[in-house]
């Protein structure tokens, strides 16, 4: 017996985008609810969607305010934000307000699906953390604190390991500078520290630290760990 | 008369038409003057009668000022007319009232009555003379009715003083009389006037009663009446002639006459100028007052120089021309005649010399030279005595000058030189004989003349003669001469001494004049070079203020137009405040394009003198000068230098303005060009990908059945690729717009260049798919102060550009290394390189390198954006060609951040 389909609430004022998402997502087995504005979107929260795709530029309610309102109703539901280009500040703010990830318009369907999967996976992980993470040649055993690239063990300093563990726990999801700094040090630490540790970490786990494959930079926003190879969360 | 001349006569004269047009200037008010031969003829009464008539006709008539002098009939006429309240002026504890010019201008009636045109205003008024108030009212477009007595007309001043033996100080220039649109003679026979005087109907101030009793003699009044009638008739005549000329009516008007009056520093100059004005009026000829500045000018004292400038100023106020020329020839007469011939003069007026015969023998007589050489030009020699206003005063002046200019030092030096010459003579006399002694003395005299001037050398000549006689001519040690041959020799010696003195002294004064002129010329030349070299307006202003202050020893301010008014822009010594009165004078000078302030005709009470700085295209600003020394601000010499300075400054200021205008025009042109390029670019770059997308998508929809799966996915790839391209183009347009709007505010933080390179490469994966990318990033690269997002975009554009021009399979290299306190990043491609002349142009907006077959057109914005972003972060970017092979090399230089002190060994 198959699980009931995952319900996705799309809040966007552009009919072509709603139509595209309805078509694209339903082929992947998602059930779609859509709303042309913030008010209608909030009303549809009663339908208990599993994930929300929220456009930040709505006609009636400012995107960030809507995000707050949603989070006030439901602290857990994954939210993927659709934002415009060149609005790194808006993206960071949305993430700080509790959005799980973002996609910049215009976007490809594969990109959106990946973001959605990462957001959903993280929600499931919160309930039962997977002990072994694997992507490409990199494997991280969170229980035994073992990091391997291929067959070789990688020796990390405690801070480097803490950074890697955070990234792995949210693999596929973007983590803001602020979140990482706040988790590893405190909110007021200079972002340079983070950059230096990311560089050191890359030198230890990446094949070509100049063109990293695992720890990816989201310029102006933060970092993202490549998604695991075999999603076993479904 | 030839036909040509005939035609000339019949054609309306352009000058006449212009004059007619000037009089018809609709904006200027019309002037009506009520002229009387003497006080008491009833001018004010007549003016008021006519004012009432105008008022009944519906005109807006107000009284600016009218003096009833207690006459009941006149006072009664003031009833029913609006009178502008007078303004109070405090002067030396007295309260004086004057017409309120500002109130009159603000009231703007159609007709204003201003009594007594020749009145002198109280100190503190804007203008020293009432006729200047009237001119301002006329310029403001208000009609003026005014009154004047004939003896106040400037050019008749001398004549009337001679007739009546009463000189009036208050005069009005003939120009305002001639400017009048209507002149009405208020006539009363002398008998009637004397009767009115006896009846007490003529207002006479008590203190002047006796003088005026003499003035009101029947003979005087008859003469004055005749003058008034004649002057008025002259005016009518002028109008008639002007009309005849304007309408090309043939008539016997005088043609081609031109008068030159020569003046010197003597007090007769003013009389000569007035005489010439009357002569010129009778002949309807233009006239010029000429001053020849020779060697003697240098020797004049300030008083004499002021007299020259007063005379020239008088000529200007009588509508003549005033010209100063330097003496070029050895005789002044030649200079005068040279100028007269050059300007086609027909008459030359000179004053009769009152110099002694002896002086004329030595220096020659200008009058005689003129008469001898004048050829077709008539020479008018005017007796000086007749013109002299008060000989006593002139004499007093002269003795003042003598005492003022006497300086004993040169004479002491001359005495010493003669004593030395005597000593030397005593030494050589026994050896060379007495006949050579005179040469020693002559040498001393030449030396004195060339060093100290004429006076001391004449003194030396006398002293030397006496010494020669006393010590060397027998009988020795007496002043008698025994032998006749010695007497002859002595006579020749004295003559030689005097002639040599004269020649040497003249050479000296010429040299002194030349040096002083050369110094002035040099200073002006240096100034003009300085002005030519400076570029900014502030530099020009400062140089002008400084130079004027230095050359004339004055304080200087410069005011330039600003927001509809004028404001101080520079000063030396630096000055940013003027008091209220001076600022008002400066503003008046600006809005009326005339000199104002201290010593001028407008607001003369101020501390500063303001002159407009003019070029051929109008005034560009106002220069104000101030000097602590009381009296006239500038001597004529200084005035000339000042004029030269401000002329040059005005040209320099205008030049700066013109350059700014040109720049603005160029920018406008550039903007237009860009706008055109933008439109082309948008229409082309937006439509091309859209056409591909639309075509591919519609093909898939409409022809789905006939397409293989491979064809379908190829079409779909086109849709996606072209959409990407469109997206990049729009992103570029947005970036460019933000740059242009100044909306790019870099969020700079210490960044790791390697990290940004990595993320950019990931983003550019698709466009770099056909190329191999080689990285050489030095391990010791410092952290850089960058906005990561902007820099990524800049780098993306550079990679996009490299990919576009490199052949498929080509290598794109990125090298980064530390260079002192900065880092350099090079992006090298294997394309054809950049033509040398385009290395800078490629960063311009919408610039595209020559399109090649296999290169897809870009937006022409990518590199402009890259440069804009990099420069916004404090970096630089330049393009070069690779030296090792064909290909372009872009070099980005970025400032390093302070390295964080990080302890990563926990």
């Amino acid at each position: 017996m198959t699980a009931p389909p995952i319900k996705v609430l799309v809040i966007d004022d552009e009919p072509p985008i709603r139509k595209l998402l309805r078509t694209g997502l339903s082929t992947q087995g998602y059930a779609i609810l859509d709303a042309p504005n913030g008010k209608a979107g909030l009303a549809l929260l009663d339908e208990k969607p599993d994930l929300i795709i929220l456009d930040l530029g709505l006609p009636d309610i400012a995107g960030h305010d809507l995000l707050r309102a949603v989070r006030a109703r439901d602290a857990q539901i994954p939210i993927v934000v659709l934002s415009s280009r060149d609005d790194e500040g808006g993206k960071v703010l949305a993430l700080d307000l509790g959005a799980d990830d973002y996609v910049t318009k215009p976007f490809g369907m594969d990109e959106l699906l990946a973001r959605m999967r990462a957001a959903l996976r993280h929600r499931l992980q919160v309930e039962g953390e997977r002990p072994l993470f694997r992507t490409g040649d990199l494997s991280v055993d969170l229980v035994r604190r073992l990091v391997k690239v291929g067959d070789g063990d990688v020796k990390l300093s405690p801070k480097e390991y803490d950074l890697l563990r955070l990234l792995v726990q949210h693999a596929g999801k973007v983590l803001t500078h602020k979140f990482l700094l706040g988790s590893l040090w405190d909110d007021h630490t200079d972002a340079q520290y983070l950059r230096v540790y990311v560089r050191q970490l890359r030198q230890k786990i990446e094949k070509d630290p100049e063109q990293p494959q695992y720890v990816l930079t989201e310029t102006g926003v933060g970092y993202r760990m490549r998604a695991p190879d075999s999603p076993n969360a479904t | 008369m030839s036909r040509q001349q005939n035609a000339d006569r019949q054609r309306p004269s352009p000058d006449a038409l212009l004059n007619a047009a000037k009089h018809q200037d609709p904006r200027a008010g019309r002037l009506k003057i009520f002229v009387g031969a003497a006080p008491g003829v009833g001018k004010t009464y007549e003016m008021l009668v006519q004012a009432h008539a105008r008022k009944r006709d519906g005109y807006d008539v107000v009284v600016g000022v009218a003096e009833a002098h207690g006459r009941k009939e006149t006072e009664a006429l003031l009833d029913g007319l609006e009178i502008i309240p007078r303004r109070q002026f405090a002067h030396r504890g007295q309260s004086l009232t004057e017409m309120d010019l500002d109130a009159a201008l603000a009231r703007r009636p159609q007709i204003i009555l201003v009594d007594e045109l020749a009145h002198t205003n109280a100190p503190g008024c804007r203008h020293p003379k009432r006729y200047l108030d009237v001119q301002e009212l006329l310029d403001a477009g208000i009609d003026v009715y005014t009154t004047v007595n004939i003896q106040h007309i400037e050019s008749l001043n001398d004549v009337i003083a001679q007739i009546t033996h009463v000189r009036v100080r208050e005069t009005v220039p003939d120009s305002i009389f001639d400017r009048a649109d209507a002149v009405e003679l208020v006539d009363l026979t002398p008998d009637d006037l004397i009767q009115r005087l006896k009846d007490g109907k003529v207002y006479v101030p008590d203190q002047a009663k006796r003088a005026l009793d003499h003035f009101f003699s029947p003979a005087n009044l008859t003469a004055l009446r005749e003058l008034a009638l004649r002057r008025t008739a002259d005016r009518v005549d002028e109008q008639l002639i002007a009309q005849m000329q304007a309408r090309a009516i043939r008539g016997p008007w005088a043609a081609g006459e031109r008068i030159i009056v020569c003046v010197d520093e003597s007090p007769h100059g003013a009389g000569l100028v007035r005489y010439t004005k009357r002569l010129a009026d009778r002949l309807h000829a233009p006239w010029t007052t000429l001053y020849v500045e020779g060697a003697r000018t240098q020797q004049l004292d300030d008083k004499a120089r002021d007299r020259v400038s007063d005379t020239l100023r008088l000529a200007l106020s009588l509508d003549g021309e005033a010209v100063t020329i330097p003496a070029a020839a050895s005789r002044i007469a030649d200079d005068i005649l040279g100028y007269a011939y050059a300007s086609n003069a027909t008459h030359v007026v000179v004053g009769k010399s009152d110099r002694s015969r002896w002086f004329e023998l030595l220096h020659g007589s200008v009058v005689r030279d003129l008469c001898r050489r004048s050829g077709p030009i008539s020479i008018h020699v005017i007796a000086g005595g007749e013109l002299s206003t008060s000989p006593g005063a002139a004499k007093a002046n002269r003795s003042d000058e003598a005492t003022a200019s006497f300086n004993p030092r040169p004479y002491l030096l001359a005495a010493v030189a003669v004593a030395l010459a005597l000593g030397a003579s005593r030494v050589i006399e026994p050896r060379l004989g007495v006949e050579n002694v005179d040469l020693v003395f002559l040498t001393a005299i030449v030396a004195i003349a060339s060093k100290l001037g004429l006076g001391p050398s004449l003194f030396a000549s006398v002293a030397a003669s006496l010494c020669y006689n006393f010590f060397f001519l027998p009988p020795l040690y007496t002043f008698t001469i025994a032998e006749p041959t010695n007497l002859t020799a002595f006579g020749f010696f004295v003559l030689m001494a005097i002639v040599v003195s004269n020649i040497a002294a003249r050479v000296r004064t010429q040299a002194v004049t030349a040096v002083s002129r050369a110094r002035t010329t040099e200073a002006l030349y240096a100034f003009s070079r300085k002005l030519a070299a400076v570029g900014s307006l502030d530099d020009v202003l400062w140089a002008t203020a400084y130079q004027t202050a230095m050359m004339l020893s004055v304080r200087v301010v410069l005011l330039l137009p600003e927001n509809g008014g004028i404001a101080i822009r520079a000063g030396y010594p630096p000055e940013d405040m003027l008091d209220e009165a001076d600022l008002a004078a400066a503003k008046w000078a600006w809005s009326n394009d005339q000199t104002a302030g201290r010593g001028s005709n407008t607001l003369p009470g101020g501390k500063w003198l303001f002159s407009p700085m003019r070029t051929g295209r109008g005034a560009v600003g106002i220069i104000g000068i101030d000097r602590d020394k009381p009296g006239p601000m500038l001597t004529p010499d200084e005035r000339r230098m000042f004029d030269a300075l401000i002329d040059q400054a005005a040209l320099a200021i205008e030049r700066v303005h013109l350059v700014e205008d040109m720049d603005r025009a160029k920018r406008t042109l550039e903007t237009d060009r860009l706008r055109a390029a933008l439109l082309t670019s948008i229409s082309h770059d937006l439509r091309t990908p859209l056409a591909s997308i639309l075509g591919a998508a519609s093909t898939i929809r409409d022809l789905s059945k006939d397409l293989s799966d491979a064809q379908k996915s190829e079409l779909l790839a086109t849709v996606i690729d072209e959409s990407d391209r469109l997206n990049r183009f729009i992103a570029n347009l947005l970036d460019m717009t933000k740059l242009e709007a100044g909306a790019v505010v870099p969020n700079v933080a210490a960044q790791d260049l390697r990290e940004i390179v990595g993320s950019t490469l990931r983003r550019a994966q698709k466009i770099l798919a056909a190329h191999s990318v080689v990285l050489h990033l030095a391990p010791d690269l410092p952290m850089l102060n960058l906005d990561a997002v902007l820099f990524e975009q800049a780098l993306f554009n550079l990679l996009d550009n490299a990919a576009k021009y490199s052949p498929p399979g080509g290598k794109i290299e990125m090298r980064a290394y530390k260079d002192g306190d900065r880092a350099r990043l090079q992006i090298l491609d294997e394309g054809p390189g950049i033509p040398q002349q385009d290395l800078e142009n490629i960063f311009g907006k919408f610039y595209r390198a020559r399109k090649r077959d296999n290169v897809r057109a870009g937006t022409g914005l990518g590199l402009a954006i890259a440069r804009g972003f990099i420069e916004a972060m404090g970096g630089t970017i330049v393009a070069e060609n690779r030296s090792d092979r064909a290909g372009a090399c872009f070099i980005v230089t970025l400032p390093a951040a302070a390295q964080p002190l990080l302890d990563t060994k926990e």
Side-chain angles (χ1 to χ4, degrees):
Chain A
M1 182 188 152
T2 52
I6 294 171
K7 267 196 271 184
V8 178
L9 169 59
V10 177
I11 309 175
D12 196 311
D13 58 325
E14 292 289 337
I17 300 283
R18 289 206 303 274
K19 194 169 148 196
L20 172 74
L21 292 180
R22 186 176 274 280
T23 314
L25 295 180
S26 56
T27 61
Q28 300 298 303
Y30 293 103
I32 311 297
L33 302 164
D34 60 18
N37 55 50
K39 258 189 204 146
L42 281 174
L44 282 174
L45 281 184
D46 296 339
E47 304 278 325
K48 299 273 173 218
D50 297 299
L51 183 141
I52 300 173
I53 296 175
L54 169 64
D55 183 46
L56 283 179
L58 289 172
D60 59 341
I61 305 175
H64 293 109
D65 292 339
L66 186 60
L67 200 49
R68 278 191 199 95
V70 173
R71 274 284 170 255
R73 294 265 301 267
D74 186 336
Q76 296 299 319
I77 183 167
I79 303 174
V80 175
V81 164
L82 302 182
S83 79
S84 60
R85 182 181 164 270
D86 285 351
D87 186 22
E88 273 67 28
K91 290 170 191 167
V92 171
L93 179 58
L95 295 170
D96 287 344
L97 287 172
D100 289 74
D101 218 322
Y102 66 87
V103 178
T104 304
K105 281 182 177 178
F107 53 85
M109 193 54 81
D110 53 342
E111 195 186 351
L112 176 65
L113 288 170
R115 299 284 168 269
M116 286 169 63
R117 275 199 295 274
L120 286 166
R121 183 166 54 236
H122 181 63
R123 293 297 158 205
L124 299 175
Q125 274 174 14
V126 173
E127 286 138 34
E129 200 169 278
R130 279 174 312 123
L132 192 64
F133 169 84
R134 203 185 281 278
T135 181
D137 280 346
L138 176 70
S139 64
V140 182
D141 184 336
L142 291 172
V143 176
R144 290 157 61 202
R145 297 171 75 98
L146 281 179
V147 181
K148 283 189 175 190
V149 175
D151 288 335
D153 285 338
V154 178
K155 274 194 72 125
L156 294 177
S157 76
K159 263 295 189 260
E160 287 163 4
Y161 178 77
D162 288 346
L163 172 61
L164 179 62
R165 184 172 52 81
L166 267 176
L167 288 165
V168 164
Q169 280 171 344
H170 299 85
K173 237 188 81 170
V174 69
L175 300 180
T176 64
H177 295 134
K178 192 177 163 195
F179 173 81
L180 289 169
L181 286 168
S183 307
L184 296 171
W185 293 277
D186 63 71
D187 279 357
H188 305 293
T189 311
D190 196 299
Q192 281 196 49
Y193 281 81
L194 184 58
R195 295 203 178 93
V196 170
Y197 279 100
V198 168
R199 189 199 283 191
Q200 287 172 186
L201 181 62
R202 279 175 176 158
Q203 268 156 3
K204 290 180 179 172
I205 64 171
E206 298 278 2
K207 230 181 276 161
D208 179 0
E210 244 85 81
Q211 300 191 57
Q213 301 301 312
Y214 306 130
V215 182
L216 307 176
T217 304
E218 293 287 329
T219 308
V221 179
Y223 295 98
R224 185 194 301 277
M225 174 58 80
R226 196 168 105 166
D229 282 344
S230 48
N232 52 0
T234 35
Chain B
M1 186 182 286
S2 76
R3 282 187 59 182
Q4 176 61 42
Q5 275 173 327
N6 228 330
D8 279 351
R9 285 275 165 107
Q10 283 174 10
R11 190 180 303 143
S13 135
D15 283 349
L17 283 174
L18 272 178
N19 276 332
K22 203 162 75 191
H23 280 290
Q24 284 156 13
D25 180 358
R27 282 166 305 168
R30 298 171 68 79
L31 176 65
K32 181 164 192 170
I33 302 180
F34 296 84
V35 184
V41 293
K43 299 177 302 293
T44 307
Y45 183 86
E46 180 60 27
M47 175 172 77
L48 288 168
V49 168
Q50 292 201 12
H52 277 284
R54 288 284 88 74
K55 196 167 184 230
R56 276 195 300 278
D57 294 344
Y59 285 90
D60 180 17
V61 182
V62 303
V63 178
V65 61
E67 308 283 359
H69 296 308
R71 273 164 285 181
K72 288 205 186 69
E73 301 94 322
T74 312
E75 263 171 9
L77 277 173
L78 281 170
D79 279 348
L81 287 174
E82 179 186 339
I83 300 174
I84 293 173
R86 300 230 196 157
R87 205 170 144 193
Q88 302 275 334
F89 286 92
H91 182 61
R92 296 192 184 150
Q94 261 180 303
S95 174
L96 303 169
T97 64
E98 294 291 351
M99 177 173 73
D100 192 338
L101 179 60
D102 287 321
L105 286 168
R107 168 67 178 75
R108 280 202 76 82
Q110 281 170 292
I111 299 171
I112 187 164
L113 273 48
V114 184
D115 208 1
E116 290 184 10
L117 185 61
H119 175 77
T120 299
N121 283 334
C125 288
R126 186 183 309 166
H127 301 292
K129 295 285 191 177
R130 185 171 284 165
Y131 72 82
L132 294 165
D133 291 345
V134 167
Q135 263 170 0
E136 197 166 337
L137 287 165
L138 290 169
D139 289 343
I142 301 169
D143 291 354
V144 179
Y145 282 14
T146 188
T147 65
V148 73
N149 285 326
I150 197 71
Q151 79 252 36
H152 294 294
I153 306 288
E154 174 78 50
S155 68
L156 297 175
N157 196 257
D158 289 327
V159 179
I160 292 172
Q162 278 166 28
I163 295 169
T164 62
H165 302 289
V166 176
R167 178 173 284 276
V168 288
R169 291 220 178 71
E170 300 183 329
T171 58
V172 295
D174 292 52
S175 61
I176 190 148
F177 191 76
D178 294 336
R179 174 186 174 161
D181 298 275
V183 172
E184 194 165 322
L185 184 67
V186 181
D187 194 25
L188 200 65
T189 61
D191 292 346
D192 290 345
L193 184 55
I194 289 167
Q195 188 55 48
R196 285 190 58 166
L197 185 67
K198 282 181 185 152
D199 295 347
K201 285 182 176 171
V202 176
Y203 166 75
V204 175
D206 288 343
Q207 68 270 26
K209 211 154 199 146
R210 273 181 61 187
L212 281 174
D213 279 348
H214 173 68
F215 182 85
F216 281 97
S217 72
N220 276 355
L221 288 178
T222 308
L224 285 173
R225 185 166 171 238
E226 196 188 316
L227 272 173
L229 287 166
R230 203 160 69 191
R231 187 67 183 84
T232 314
D234 273 356
R235 229 195 68 86
V236 173
D237 205 28
E238 274 165 28
Q239 279 178 334
L240 186 69
I241 289 171
Q243 259 186 0
M244 283 164 80
Q245 278 183 328
R247 294 182 193 166
I249 302 166
R250 286 179 62 174
W253 56 80
E257 303 277 19
R258 190 180 181 89
I259 309 170
I260 287 174
V261 52
C262 306
V263 296
D264 59 7
E265 68 284 359
S266 82
H268 310 322
L272 276 176
V273 166
R274 290 198 185 95
Y275 170 85
T276 309
K277 163 69 178 163
R278 290 196 300 276
L279 178 67
D281 283 354
R282 277 202 298 279
L283 293 173
H284 304 295
W287 59 288
T288 302
T289 304
L290 181 70
Y291 175 67
V292 181
E293 185 190 70
R296 271 191 332 157
T297 309
Q298 294 300 323
Q299 297 167 346
L300 296 179
D301 59 13
D302 282 352
K303 257 187 203 148
R305 286 179 197 221
D306 285 350
R307 256 198 317 270
V308 172
S309 68
D310 284 346
T311 307
L312 294 177
R313 214 173 291 142
L314 173 71
L316 288 175
S317 74
L318 289 172
D319 287 345
E321 236 183 289
V323 173
T324 303
I325 59 169
S330 57
R331 284 181 224 251
I332 287 182
D334 290 347
D335 290 314
I336 295 172
L337 287 171
Y339 182 82
Y341 283 125
S343 57
N344 287 324
T346 50
H347 299 263
V348 171
V349 178
V350 286
K352 193 153 126 191
S353 172
D354 53 1
R355 300 200 193 283
S356 66
R357 212 174 156 66
W358 174 237
F359 185 93
E360 284 191 6
L361 265 178
L362 278 175
H363 293 269
S365 158
V366 174
V367 173
R368 204 167 328 141
D369 286 348
L370 275 177
C371 292
R372 202 174 298 137
R373 293 153 194 259
S374 61
I377 298 173
S378 314
I379 306 291
H380 301 235
V381 181
I382 307 305
E386 283 173 37
L387 298 163
S388 175
T389 50
S390 107
K395 251 178 217 152
N397 269 346
R398 206 159 296 164
S399 64
D400 277 356
E401 285 160 31
T403 50
S405 60
F406 183 76
N407 178 3
R409 198 168 160 270
Y411 292 89
L412 286 175
L413 288 174
V416 170
V418 171
L420 286 175
L422 175 62
S425 303
R426 297 288 276 184
V427 173
I428 64 164
E429 194 238 337
R431 277 159 236 183
L432 298 173
V434 74
E435 59 273 19
N436 288 314
V437 165
D438 52 356
L439 291 177
V440 178
F441 281 108
L442 283 179
T443 308
I445 291 166
V446 169
I448 291 162
S450 60
K451 289 283 171 222
L452 305 172
L454 186 59
S457 75
L458 286 175
F459 168 75
S461 302
V462 172
S465 310
L466 293 175
C467 288
Y468 184 52
N469 181 358
F470 193 77
F471 291 102
F472 300 104
L473 294 181
L476 296 184
Y477 312 118
T478 65
F479 286 113
T480 48
I481 298 167
E483 284 184 45
T485 45
N486 279 349
L487 192 63
T488 319
F490 180 71
F492 275 113
F493 174 76
V494 171
L495 194 65
M496 288 269 280
I498 290 171
V499 169
V500 161
S501 300
N502 257 302
I503 292 169
R506 191 175 298 170
V507 167
R508 173 182 174 269
T509 45
Q510 276 168 357
V512 168
T513 315
V515 165
S516 124
R517 272 195 176 263
R519 206 172 290 143
T520 309
T521 311
E522 203 171 295
L524 284 172
Y525 178 60
F527 178 54
S528 72
R529 263 198 324 207
K530 198 197 255 174
L531 284 184
V534 299
S536 81
L537 185 59
D538 283 341
D539 290 347
V540 168
L541 295 178
W542 198 86
T544 305
Y546 176 78
Q547 194 72 19
T548 311
M550 287 298 117
M551 284 176 77
L552 300 172
S553 327
V554 289
R555 279 189 287 278
V556 177
V557 289
L558 291 166
L559 301 98
L560 256 53
E562 207 173 276
N563 308 326
I566 50 168
I568 298 180
R569 286 291 301 270
Y572 191 90
E575 177 86 53
D576 51 9
M577 283 290 288
L578 285 174
D579 62 31
E580 199 93 333
D582 286 321
L583 204 58
K587 281 181 179 151
W588 193 91
W590 173 246
S591 49
N592 292 274
D593 197 13
Q594 280 174 32
T595 297
R598 175 166 156 191
S600 72
N601 277 337
T602 302
L603 297 166
K607 211 157 95 63
W608 293 75
L609 174 70
F610 295 97
S611 289
M613 296 187 281
R614 293 195 201 99
T615 68
R617 312 198 311 163
V620 297
I622 294 291
I623 184 166
I625 54 172
D626 169 33
R627 179 184 261 185
D628 291 329
K629 196 179 90 179
M633 187 82 83
L634 299 172
T635 66
D637 278 349
E638 287 172 334
R639 178 82 217 179
R640 257 201 311 284
M641 198 191 292
F642 179 64
D643 287 345
L645 282 169
I646 64 178
D647 278 355
Q648 296 207 2
L651 284 173
I653 292 168
E654 189 180 66
R655 188 191 50 147
V656 172
H657 286 329
L658 285 176
V659 168
E660 280 171 3
D661 287 352
M662 262 160 63
D663 279 355
R664 207 171 301 129
K666 223 156 110 189
R667 275 202 298 277
T668 314
L669 202 71
E670 180 76 355
T671 313
D672 288 349
R673 196 184 67 74
L674 281 177
R675 195 171 295 137
L678 179 70
L679 288 176
T680 318
S681 173
I682 288 176
S683 69
H684 175 267
D685 295 331
L686 284 179
R687 281 207 185 111
T688 313
L690 271 176
S692 312
I693 294 165
L694 200 63
S698 59
T699 307
I700 295 169
R701 191 190 62 186
D702 301 338
L703 307 172
S704 185
K705 286 194 301 268
D706 308 328
L707 293 172
S708 67
D709 281 355
Q711 284 171 320
K712 273 185 204 165
S713 63
E714 195 179 311
L715 284 172
L716 285 170
T718 304
V719 171
I720 291 167
D721 288 349
E722 288 299 286
S723 301
D724 277 345
R725 190 174 146 204
L726 195 57
N727 188 33
R728 282 205 299 279
F729 175 65
I730 292 168
N732 272 340
L733 277 182
L734 286 174
D735 285 342
M736 201 69 233
T737 312
K738 274 200 282 187
L739 269 175
E740 303 257 279
V744 173
V745 184
N747 178 19
V748 174
Q751 301 282 354
D752 182 359
L753 183 65
R754 274 164 294 205
E755 188 174 355
I756 302 177
V757 167
S759 63
T760 312
L761 286 174
R762 188 156 59 90
R763 226 183 98 195
Q765 244 165 13
K766 224 168 167 177
I767 55 170
L768 294 172
H771 302 85
S772 61
V773 177
V774 181
L775 298 180
H776 302 282
L777 307 179
D780 65 340
L781 269 182
M783 297 292 264
L784 301 176
N785 274 326
L786 294 176
D787 178 314
V789 177
L790 294 184
F791 191 71
E792 188 183 295
Q793 187 60 46
L795 206 52
F796 181 91
N797 288 356
L798 290 171
L799 287 172
D800 187 30
N801 182 72
K804 216 178 291 170
Y805 289 97
S806 284
K811 200 165 70 176
I812 295 171
E813 268 182 84
M814 292 176 84
R815 297 179 189 157
Y817 53 92
K818 192 174 161 208
D819 181 10
D821 58 349
R822 46 195 61 224
R824 278 187 217 285
L825 174 66
Q826 296 181 322
I827 295 117
L828 303 99
D829 64 41
E830 297 187 342
I834 305 160
Q836 199 64 30
Q837 70 272 15
D838 284 344
L839 285 175
E840 189 52 34
N841 295 339
I842 54 169
F843 293 104
K845 275 173 287 180
F846 297 111
Y847 180 85
R848 292 171 215 228
R850 274 166 305 152
K851 208 170 153 183
R852 291 182 307 138
D853 296 343
N854 52 352
V855 175
R856 280 210 307 188
T859 57
L861 286 173
L863 293 179
I865 291 167
R867 172 171 273 190
F869 283 178
I870 286 167
E871 286 179 351
M873 287 179 275
T876 59
I877 177 168
V878 292
E880 286 177 5
N881 280 308
R882 291 176 69 158
S883 52
D884 54 340
R885 52 155 296 143
C889 171
F890 289 86
I891 303 164
V892 181
T893 309
L894 297 158
Q899 278 277 14
L901 294 169
L902 287 183
D903 181 14
T904 54
K905 314 262 182 296
E906 285 137 280

